[in-house]
Amino acid sequence: PGPFADSAPVEAPAAVPDTLAGALATPVEAPEPADETPGRLDITGEWRRVSPRAITIELIGDAVFVVIAAAAAIGLSFLIQHPWPLFPGGAIVVITLLTAAFAPRRIRSIGYLLRGDDLLFRRGIMWQRFVAVPYGRMQLVDINRGPLARAFGLAELKFVTASPATGVTIPGLPLEEAESLRDHLVSVAESRRTGL
């Protein structure tokens, strides 16, 4: 007899019920990791882009500016009989031509998205800008059309809010789309301000 001969006998562990044993034997699938991408926006809807005809308007404007700058530099140089006006004039022409080369990509980067509570606007290639304009903060929705825009059937939609920093201008919209968007935004903004 050992030193623990007088101790109470140890009972065998109770059998695990079949249902619990089956549950323990079933492999548990690991939950799918949540998407925790920093800065990810949960945006539902479709981005609307401006009309491709806005690129033509931009290029025409740049071409007119180049012609005026070159003519002014040449005329001034001829008038004073000295070539120095050609240097700043040539620099202006080169910079304008480089800007015009990026005009198609710059115009294609402009877009807007109608969400539940606001309008999201984006623009820019290297320096991108995203602005969310709440419907209830819109004070004025204005349509502007210059001579070239009228010739191509386009318009510019401008939103005025209480804060000048959140002012948004969407260029190059077809006139019908601009008018429809203006009416929709005015209606939604009025309903948000009245609390409906």
Side-chain angles (χ1 to χ4, degrees):
F4 299 104
D6 294 336
S7 61
V10 178
E11 295 182 359
V16 178
D18 292 339
T19 55
L20 181 58
L24 293 174
T26 305
V28 179
E29 295 181 3
E32 294 182 2
D35 186 5
E36 297 180 355
T37 306
R40 177 173 176 148
L41 297 176
D42 183 17
I43 298 175
T44 56
E46 180 183 356
W47 282 97
R48 300 294 303 264
R49 299 187 181 218
V50 299
S51 172
R53 289 174 288 178
I55 299 174
T56 306
I57 294 176
E58 183 82 8
L59 293 178
I60 291 175
D62 290 340
V64 170
F65 182 77
V66 164
V67 170
I68 292 175
I74 293 172
L76 186 59
S77 175
F78 180 77
L79 185 65
I80 65 173
Q81 297 294 320
H82 200 280
W84 71 261
L86 298 177
F87 298 110
I92 292 173
V93 168
V94 170
I95 292 172
T96 305
L97 291 177
L98 290 175
T99 304
F102 289 97
R105 289 191 61 195
R106 189 173 65 251
I107 297 296
R108 282 195 292 266
S109 71
I110 301 173
Y112 69 92
L113 174 64
L114 294 173
R115 301 195 294 184
D117 297 320
D118 56 21
L119 179 141
L120 189 62
F121 172 76
R122 71 176 183 191
R123 74 180 308 159
I125 303 172
M126 295 181 63
W127 290 273
Q128 294 185 340
R129 181 188 184 203
F130 286 82
V131 180
V133 184
Y135 296 134
R137 299 287 301 275
M138 293 183 185
Q139 297 180 343
L140 176 67
V141 184
D142 192 17
I143 292 180
N144 298 319
R145 302 182 72 202
L148 280 177
R150 285 199 304 270
F152 284 87
L154 300 180
E156 179 183 84
L157 199 63
K158 183 178 181 181
F159 314 110
V160 178
T161 64
S163 172
T166 58
V168 170
T169 300
I170 306 178
L173 293 177
L175 181 60
E176 298 80 8
E177 181 179 350
E179 291 177 343
S180 175
L181 183 59
R182 177 198 58 193
D183 296 341
H184 171 73
L185 292 176
V186 168
S187 175
V188 174
E190 186 65 27
S191 65
R192 294 302 169 92
R193 281 196 296 267
T194 56
L196 296 177

